[in-house]
Amino acid sequence: MELGLIGLGKMGGNMRERIRQAGHTVVGYDRNPELADVGSLKELVESLSAPRAVWVMVPAGAPTQSTVDELGDLLSPGDLVIDGGNSRWTDDKKHAEQLAFKGIGFIDAGVSGGVWGLQNGYALMVGGKAEDVAKAQPIFDALKPEGDYGFVHAGSAGAGHFAKMVHNGIEYAMMQAYAEGWELLEAVPEVTDVHEVFRSWKEGTVIRSWLLDLAVNALDDDEHLEALRGYADDSGEGRWTVEAAIDHAVPLPAITASLFARFSSRQEDSPAMKMIAALRNQFGGHAVTDATGHTAKEHKSPGA
C-alpha cells in the first residue's frame, strides 16, 4: 500500500519507519526539509497513486485545520485522510463533513505508543466509516503491536480521538497514583530503598504495569529524581476529558484531581511532579525541566 504521511516528528518519523519495515511505501512531508521526502503537500499528493491515503500527524487545532483545508483542495473523490494527531474529537466531525462534501473519506485515529512505538507497535483507536477503515487496514496492521490486541474501530467519526482522550485521562490518574506513592515512600525514614521497592512491584503485584516499568527506568537513571524540577505540563487531553465528563454528568474524581495536581506543579517544586515529569519523558520523549529550570534532553526510543 502507498501512504502519504504529513508530520515526521518524534512519533511520525518512527511511524514512517515501522510502516516501511512492513513493506509499504511511505512518502513523508515535514516543514523540516531534512526530514521530508518531498518539498510540499502538492508534491506529496502527486507522488501517490489514486485512490490516495494521507495520514496527518501535526499538532491539534489550527495546524491540523490548515492541513485538512489544503488536502481538501488537492485530493480527489475516493481519496482518504487519516488524522492521527491529538485532535479534539469534536473537530473530527467537522473535518469528516468538510471532506465528505468533496467525496473524500476521513478517519480519526488515536495513537498511543510514544517514542517506543517503533519497537513495540502503536495502540490504535479509530473512528469513521467501516469502508474507509477497511481501505486503511493494511497500514493499521503494520503499526499495531503483534498479537490480537492494540487496534479497535471504536465507532463513527470522533470515536477514535474520544477513546484516546479517555485513555490519556486514565493515564493521568495512574501516573498521579504512582507519583504520590513514591513521594510518601521517600518521606518515611523506615523505608531505606524506595527504588528497589518500586522494582519489586514489577512482578506478582496487582499494580504492575508498563508505567511502573518506566518509573523504575527513571529511578535507575536518577534514584531520587534530584536532577528534575517538579513541573509537569499537560497536553490538553486531560482537560478535554474533564470537560466531556461535565457535559455528560459523569463523575471523574481521580482523573480530575490528577489534572489539577499538574496545575499545582507550576506553582511550587512538587516532589510527586518529579515522577510525573520523569514518566512523561520515559514513555513519550517529552522534554523535562532540570533542577535549575532549564529544559533537559529529550528521551529517545531504542533504535530511533
Side-chain angles (χ1 to χ4, degrees), residues 61-133:
T64 295
Q65 184 64 62
S66 64
T67 303
V68 170
D69 290 344
E70 188 170 354
L71 287 174
D73 292 334
L74 292 170
L75 295 173
S76 304
D79 291 345
L80 176 65
V81 172
I82 305 165
D83 179 7
N86 282 333
S87 292
R88 187 164 182 157
W89 67 282
T90 49
D91 290 342
D92 296 322
K93 295 188 174 184
K94 178 176 65 175
H95 294 155
E97 292 174 1
Q98 174 185 346
L99 294 172
F101 182 75
K102 299 186 177 184
I104 302 168
F106 177 82
I107 294 172
D108 56 287
V111 183
S112 181
V115 296
W116 297 86
L118 173 59
Q119 176 179 314
N120 299 335
Y122 299 89
L124 303 167
M125 297 143 269
V126 307
K129 295 180 179 179
E131 56 267 32
D132 290 331
V133 173

Coordinates of all heavy atoms in Angstrom, one line a residue, residues 61-133:
G61 N -5.6 21.5 16.4 CA -6.1 22.9 16.3 C -5.8 23.5 14.9 O -6.0 22.8 13.9
A62 N -5.2 24.7 14.9 CA -5.0 25.4 13.6 C -4.1 24.7 12.7 O -4.4 24.6 11.5 CB -4.5 26.8 13.9
P63 N -3.0 24.0 13.1 CA -2.1 23.3 12.2 C -2.9 22.2 11.5 O -2.7 22.0 10.3 CB -1.0 22.8 13.1 CG -0.9 23.8 14.2 CD -2.3 24.1 14.5
T64 N -3.7 21.4 12.2 CA -4.5 20.3 11.6 C -5.5 20.9 10.7 O -5.7 20.4 9.6 CB -5.1 19.5 12.7 OG1 -4.1 18.8 13.5 CG2 -6.0 18.4 12.1
Q65 N -6.2 22.0 11.1 CA -7.2 22.5 10.3 C -6.7 23.0 8.9 O -7.3 22.8 7.9 CB -7.9 23.7 11.0 CG -9.1 24.3 10.2 CD -10.2 23.3 10.0 OE1 -10.8 22.9 11.0 NE2 -10.5 23.0 8.8
S66 N -5.5 23.7 9.0 CA -5.0 24.2 7.7 C -4.5 23.1 6.8 O -4.6 23.2 5.6 CB -3.8 25.2 8.0 OG -2.7 24.5 8.7
T67 N -4.0 22.0 7.4 CA -3.6 20.8 6.6 C -4.8 20.2 6.0 O -4.8 19.8 4.8 CB -2.8 19.8 7.5 OG1 -1.7 20.5 8.1 CG2 -2.3 18.7 6.7
V68 N -5.9 20.0 6.7 CA -7.1 19.4 6.2 C -7.7 20.3 5.1 O -8.1 19.8 4.0 CB -8.2 19.2 7.3 CG1 -9.5 18.8 6.7 CG2 -7.7 18.1 8.3
D69 N -7.6 21.6 5.3 CA -8.1 22.5 4.2 C -7.3 22.3 2.9 O -7.9 22.3 1.9 CB -8.0 24.0 4.7 CG -9.0 24.3 5.8 OD1 -9.9 23.6 6.0 OD2 -8.8 25.3 6.5
E70 N -6.0 22.3 3.1 CA -5.2 22.2 1.9 C -5.4 20.8 1.2 O -5.4 20.8 0.0 CB -3.7 22.4 2.2 CG -2.8 22.5 1.0 CD -1.4 23.0 1.4 OE1 -1.1 23.3 2.5 OE2 -0.5 22.9 0.4
L71 N -5.4 19.8 2.0 CA -5.7 18.4 1.4 C -7.0 18.4 0.7 O -7.2 17.7 -0.3 CB -5.6 17.4 2.5 CG -4.2 17.1 3.0 CD1 -4.2 16.1 4.2 CD2 -3.3 16.5 1.9
G72 N -8.0 19.0 1.3 CA -9.3 19.1 0.6 C -9.3 19.6 -0.8 O -10.1 19.2 -1.6
D73 N -8.4 20.6 -1.0 CA -8.2 21.2 -2.3 C -7.4 20.3 -3.3 O -7.5 20.4 -4.5 CB -7.6 22.6 -2.2 CG -8.5 23.6 -1.5 OD1 -9.8 23.4 -1.6 OD2 -8.0 24.5 -0.9
L74 N -6.5 19.5 -2.7 CA -5.5 18.8 -3.5 C -6.0 17.3 -3.8 O -5.7 16.8 -4.9 CB -4.2 18.7 -2.8 CG -3.4 20.0 -2.6 CD1 -2.2 19.7 -1.7 CD2 -2.9 20.4 -4.0
L75 N -6.8 16.7 -3.0 CA -7.2 15.4 -3.1 C -8.4 15.3 -4.0 O -9.1 16.3 -4.3 CB -7.4 14.7 -1.8 CG -6.2 14.5 -0.9 CD1 -6.6 14.0 0.5 CD2 -5.2 13.6 -1.5
S76 N -8.8 14.0 -4.4 CA -9.9 13.8 -5.3 C -10.9 12.9 -4.6 O -10.6 12.2 -3.6 CB -9.3 13.1 -6.6 OG -8.3 13.8 -7.2
P77 N -12.1 12.8 -5.2 CA -13.1 11.9 -4.7 C -12.6 10.5 -4.6 O -12.0 10.0 -5.6 CB -14.3 12.1 -5.7 CG -14.1 13.5 -6.2 CD -12.7 13.7 -6.3
G78 N -12.9 9.8 -3.5 CA -12.4 8.4 -3.3 C -11.1 8.4 -2.5 O -10.7 7.3 -2.1
D79 N -10.4 9.5 -2.3 CA -9.2 9.5 -1.5 C -9.6 9.5 0.0 O -10.8 9.7 0.3 CB -8.4 10.8 -1.9 CG -7.7 10.7 -3.2 OD1 -7.7 9.6 -3.8 OD2 -7.3 11.7 -3.7
L80 N -8.6 9.4 0.8 CA -8.8 9.2 2.3 C -7.8 10.0 3.1 O -6.6 10.0 2.8 CB -8.7 7.7 2.6 CG -8.8 7.3 4.1 CD1 -10.2 7.6 4.6 CD2 -8.5 5.8 4.2
V81 N -8.3 10.7 4.1 CA -7.5 11.4 5.0 C -7.6 10.8 6.4 O -8.7 10.5 6.9 CB -7.9 12.9 5.1 CG1 -7.1 13.6 6.3 CG2 -7.6 13.6 3.8
I82 N -6.5 10.5 7.1 CA -6.5 10.0 8.4 C -5.8 11.0 9.3 O -4.6 11.4 9.1 CB -5.7 8.6 8.5 CG1 -6.2 7.6 7.4 CG2 -5.7 8.0 9.9 CD1 -5.3 6.5 7.2
D83 N -6.5 11.4 10.3 CA -5.9 12.3 11.3 C -5.4 11.5 12.5 O -6.2 11.1 13.3 CB -6.9 13.4 11.8 CG -6.3 14.4 12.8 OD1 -5.1 14.3 13.1 OD2 -7.1 15.2 13.3
G84 N -4.1 11.4 12.6 CA -3.5 10.6 13.7 C -3.0 11.4 14.8 O -2.3 10.9 15.7
G85 N -3.2 12.7 14.8 CA -2.7 13.6 15.8 C -3.6 13.6 17.0 O -4.5 12.8 17.1
N86 N -3.4 14.5 17.9 CA -4.2 14.6 19.2 C -5.3 15.6 19.0 O -5.5 16.4 19.9 CB -3.3 14.9 20.4 CG -2.5 13.7 20.9 OD1 -2.9 12.6 20.7 ND2 -1.4 14.0 21.5
S87 N -6.1 15.5 17.9 CA -7.1 16.5 17.7 C -8.3 16.3 18.7 O -8.5 15.1 19.2 CB -7.7 16.3 16.3 OG -6.7 16.8 15.3
R88 N -9.0 17.3 19.0 CA -10.2 17.2 19.8 C -11.3 16.5 19.0 O -11.5 16.8 17.8 CB -10.7 18.6 20.2 CG -11.8 18.5 21.3 CD -12.0 19.8 22.0 NE -13.1 19.7 22.9 CZ -13.2 20.5 24.0 NH1 -12.3 21.5 24.2 NH2 -14.2 20.4 24.9
W89 N -12.0 15.6 19.6 CA -12.9 14.7 18.9 C -14.0 15.5 18.2 O -14.6 15.1 17.2 CB -13.5 13.7 19.9 CG -14.4 14.2 20.9 CD1 -14.0 14.9 22.1 CD2 -15.8 14.2 21.0 NE1 -15.1 15.2 22.8 CE2 -16.2 14.8 22.2 CE3 -16.8 13.7 20.1 CZ2 -17.5 15.0 22.5 CZ3 -18.1 13.9 20.5 CH2 -18.5 14.5 21.7
T90 N -14.4 16.7 18.8 CA -15.4 17.5 18.1 C -15.0 18.1 16.8 O -15.8 18.3 15.9 CB -15.8 18.6 19.1 OG1 -14.7 19.3 19.6 CG2 -16.6 18.1 20.3
D91 N -13.6 18.3 16.7 CA -13.1 18.7 15.4 C -13.2 17.7 14.3 O -13.3 18.0 13.1 CB -11.6 19.2 15.5 CG -11.5 20.4 16.3 OD1 -12.4 21.2 16.5 OD2 -10.3 20.7 16.8
D92 N -13.2 16.4 14.7 CA -13.2 15.3 13.7 C -14.6 15.3 13.0 O -14.6 15.1 11.8 CB -13.1 13.9 14.4 CG -11.7 13.8 15.1 OD1 -10.7 14.2 14.5 OD2 -11.7 13.2 16.2
K93 N -15.6 15.6 13.7 CA -16.9 15.6 13.0 C -17.0 16.7 11.9 O -17.5 16.5 10.8 CB -18.0 15.8 14.0 CG -18.2 14.6 15.0 CD -19.4 14.8 15.9 CE -19.6 13.6 16.8 NZ -20.8 13.7 17.6
K94 N -16.4 17.8 12.3 CA -16.3 18.9 11.3 C -15.5 18.6 10.1 O -15.9 18.8 8.9 CB -15.8 20.2 12.0 CG -15.6 21.4 11.1 CD -15.1 22.6 11.9 CE -13.8 22.4 12.4 NZ -13.2 23.6 13.1
H95 N -14.3 17.9 10.3 CA -13.4 17.6 9.3 C -14.1 16.5 8.4 O -13.9 16.5 7.1 CB -12.1 17.1 9.8 CG -11.3 18.2 10.5 ND1 -10.4 17.9 11.5 CD2 -11.4 19.5 10.4 CE1 -9.9 19.1 11.9 NE2 -10.5 20.0 11.3
A96 N -14.8 15.5 9.0 CA -15.4 14.5 8.2 C -16.5 15.1 7.3 O -16.6 14.7 6.1 CB -16.0 13.5 9.2
E97 N -17.2 16.0 7.8 CA -18.3 16.6 7.0 C -17.6 17.5 5.9 O -18.1 17.5 4.7 CB -19.2 17.5 7.8 CG -20.0 16.7 8.8 CD -20.8 17.5 9.8 OE1 -20.7 18.8 9.7 OE2 -21.6 17.0 10.6
Q98 N -16.6 18.2 6.2 CA -15.9 19.1 5.3 C -15.4 18.3 4.1 O -15.5 18.7 2.9 CB -14.8 19.8 6.0 CG -13.9 20.6 5.1 CD -12.7 21.2 5.8 OE1 -12.7 21.2 7.1 NE2 -11.7 21.7 5.1
L99 N -14.7 17.1 4.4 CA -14.2 16.3 3.3 C -15.2 15.5 2.6 O -15.1 15.3 1.4 CB -13.1 15.4 3.9 CG -11.8 16.1 4.4 CD1 -10.9 15.2 5.2 CD2 -11.1 16.9 3.3
A100 N -16.2 15.1 3.3 CA -17.3 14.3 2.6 C -18.0 15.1 1.5 O -18.4 14.5 0.5 CB -18.3 13.8 3.7
F101 N -18.1 16.4 1.7 CA -18.7 17.3 0.7 C -17.9 17.2 -0.6 O -18.5 17.4 -1.7 CB -18.7 18.7 1.3 CG -19.3 19.7 0.4 CD1 -20.7 19.8 0.2 CD2 -18.5 20.6 -0.4 CE1 -21.3 20.7 -0.6 CE2 -19.1 21.5 -1.3 CZ -20.5 21.6 -1.4
K102 N -16.6 16.8 -0.5 CA -15.8 16.7 -1.7 C -15.6 15.2 -2.1 O -14.8 14.9 -3.0 CB -14.5 17.4 -1.5 CG -14.6 18.9 -1.3 CD -13.3 19.6 -1.2 CE -13.4 21.1 -1.0 NZ -12.1 21.8 -1.0
G103 N -16.3 14.3 -1.4 CA -16.2 12.9 -1.8 C -14.9 12.2 -1.2 O -14.5 11.1 -1.6
I104 N -14.3 12.9 -0.2 CA -13.1 12.4 0.4 C -13.4 11.7 1.8 O -14.1 12.3 2.6 CB -12.0 13.5 0.6 CG1 -11.7 14.1 -0.8 CG2 -10.8 13.0 1.2 CD1 -10.9 15.4 -0.7
G105 N -12.9 10.5 2.0 CA -13.2 9.9 3.3 C -12.3 10.4 4.4 O -11.3 11.1 4.2
F106 N -12.7 10.2 5.6 CA -12.0 10.7 6.8 C -12.0 9.7 7.9 O -13.1 9.1 8.2 CB -12.6 12.0 7.3 CG -11.9 12.6 8.5 CD1 -10.7 13.3 8.4 CD2 -12.5 12.3 9.8 CE1 -10.1 13.8 9.6 CE2 -11.8 12.8 10.9 CZ -10.7 13.5 10.8
I107 N -10.9 9.5 8.5 CA -10.7 8.6 9.7 C -10.0 9.4 10.8 O -9.0 10.0 10.5 CB -10.0 7.3 9.4 CG1 -10.7 6.4 8.4 CG2 -9.6 6.5 10.7 CD1 -9.9 5.2 7.9
D108 N -10.5 9.4 12.0 CA -9.7 9.9 13.1 C -9.1 8.7 13.9 O -9.7 7.7 14.2 CB -10.5 10.7 14.1 CG -11.7 10.0 14.7 OD1 -12.7 9.7 13.9 OD2 -11.7 9.6 15.8
A109 N -7.8 8.8 14.1 CA -7.0 7.7 14.7 C -6.3 8.2 16.0 O -5.3 9.0 15.9 CB -6.0 7.2 13.7
G110 N -6.7 7.8 17.2 CA -6.0 8.0 18.4 C -4.8 7.0 18.4 O -5.0 5.8 18.2
V111 N -3.6 7.5 18.6 CA -2.4 6.7 18.6 C -1.7 6.8 19.9 O -1.4 7.9 20.4 CB -1.5 7.2 17.4 CG1 -0.2 6.3 17.3 CG2 -2.2 7.3 16.1
S112 N -1.4 5.6 20.5 CA -0.6 5.6 21.7 C 0.6 4.7 21.5 O 0.5 3.7 20.8 CB -1.5 5.0 22.9 OG -0.8 5.0 24.1
G113 N 1.7 5.1 22.1 CA 2.9 4.3 22.0 C 4.1 5.1 22.2 O 5.2 4.6 22.5
G114 N 4.0 6.4 22.0 CA 5.1 7.3 22.3 C 6.4 7.0 21.5 O 6.3 6.5 20.4
V115 N 7.5 7.3 22.1 CA 8.8 7.0 21.4 C 9.1 5.5 21.3 O 10.1 5.2 20.7 CB 9.9 7.8 22.2 CG1 9.7 9.3 22.1 CG2 10.0 7.3 23.6
W116 N 8.3 4.7 22.0 CA 8.6 3.2 22.0 C 7.8 2.5 20.9 O 8.0 1.3 20.7 CB 8.2 2.6 23.3 CG 9.0 3.2 24.5 CD1 8.8 4.3 25.2 CD2 10.2 2.6 25.0 NE1 9.8 4.5 26.2 CE2 10.7 3.4 26.1 CE3 11.0 1.5 24.7 CZ2 11.8 3.2 26.8 CZ3 12.1 1.2 25.4 CH2 12.5 2.1 26.5
G117 N 7.0 3.3 20.1 CA 6.1 2.6 19.1 C 6.9 1.9 18.0 O 6.4 0.9 17.5
L118 N 8.0 2.5 17.6 CA 8.8 1.8 16.5 C 9.1 0.4 16.9 O 9.0 -0.5 16.1 CB 10.0 2.7 16.2 CG 11.0 2.0 15.2 CD1 10.4 1.8 13.9 CD2 12.2 2.9 15.1
Q119 N 9.5 0.2 18.1 CA 10.0 -1.1 18.6 C 8.8 -2.0 19.0 O 8.8 -3.2 18.7 CB 10.9 -0.9 19.8 CG 11.4 -2.2 20.5 CD 12.3 -1.9 21.7 OE1 13.2 -1.1 21.6 NE2 12.0 -2.5 22.8
N120 N 7.8 -1.4 19.7 CA 6.7 -2.2 20.3 C 5.4 -2.1 19.6 O 4.5 -3.0 19.9 CB 6.5 -1.7 21.8 CG 7.7 -1.9 22.7 OD1 8.6 -2.7 22.4 ND2 7.8 -1.0 23.7
G121 N 5.3 -1.2 18.7 CA 4.0 -1.0 18.0 C 3.2 0.0 18.7 O 3.4 0.5 19.8
Y122 N 2.1 0.5 17.9 CA 1.3 1.6 18.4 C -0.1 1.0 18.6 O -0.7 0.3 17.8 CB 1.2 2.7 17.4 CG 2.5 3.3 17.1 CD1 3.4 2.8 16.1 CD2 3.0 4.4 17.8 CE1 4.6 3.4 15.8 CE2 4.2 5.0 17.5 CZ 5.0 4.5 16.5 OH 6.2 5.1 16.3
A123 N -0.7 1.4 19.8 CA -2.1 1.1 20.0 C -3.0 2.1 19.2 O -2.7 3.3 19.3 CB -2.5 1.1 21.5
L124 N -4.0 1.6 18.5 CA -4.7 2.5 17.6 C -6.2 2.4 17.9 O -6.8 1.3 18.0 CB -4.5 2.0 16.1 CG -3.1 2.0 15.6 CD1 -2.9 1.3 14.3 CD2 -2.5 3.5 15.5
M125 N -6.8 3.5 18.1 CA -8.3 3.6 18.3 C -8.8 4.5 17.2 O -8.5 5.7 17.1 CB -8.6 4.3 19.6 CG -8.1 3.5 20.8 SD -7.4 4.5 22.2 CE -5.6 4.6 21.7
V126 N -9.6 4.0 16.3 CA -10.0 4.7 15.1 C -11.5 4.9 15.0 O -12.3 4.1 15.5 CB -9.5 4.1 13.8 CG1 -8.0 3.8 13.9 CG2 -10.3 2.8 13.5
G127 N -11.9 6.0 14.4 CA -13.3 6.3 14.2 C -13.5 6.7 12.7 O -12.7 7.3 12.1
G128 N -14.7 6.3 12.2 CA -15.0 6.6 10.8 C -15.9 5.5 10.2 O -16.3 4.6 10.9
K129 N -16.2 5.6 8.9 CA -17.0 4.6 8.2 C -16.2 3.3 8.1 O -15.0 3.4 7.8 CB -17.4 5.2 6.9 CG -18.4 6.4 7.0 CD -18.8 6.9 5.6 CE -19.7 8.1 5.7 NZ -20.1 8.6 4.4
A130 N -16.9 2.2 8.1 CA -16.3 0.9 8.0 C -15.6 0.7 6.7 O -14.5 0.2 6.7 CB -17.3 -0.2 8.2
E131 N -16.1 1.3 5.6 CA -15.5 1.1 4.3 C -14.2 1.9 4.2 O -13.2 1.5 3.6 CB -16.4 1.5 3.2 CG -17.0 2.9 3.3 CD -18.3 3.0 4.0 OE1 -18.6 2.2 4.9 OE2 -19.1 3.9 3.6
D132 N -14.1 3.0 4.9 CA -12.9 3.8 4.9 C -11.8 3.1 5.8 O -10.6 3.1 5.5 CB -13.1 5.2 5.4 CG -13.9 6.1 4.5 OD1 -13.8 5.8 3.2 OD2 -14.6 7.0 4.9
V133 N -12.2 2.6 6.9 CA -11.3 1.8 7.8 C -10.7 0.6 7.1 O -9.5 0.3 7.2 CB -12.0 1.4 9.1 CG1 -11.1 0.5 10.0 CG2 -12.5 2.6 9.9

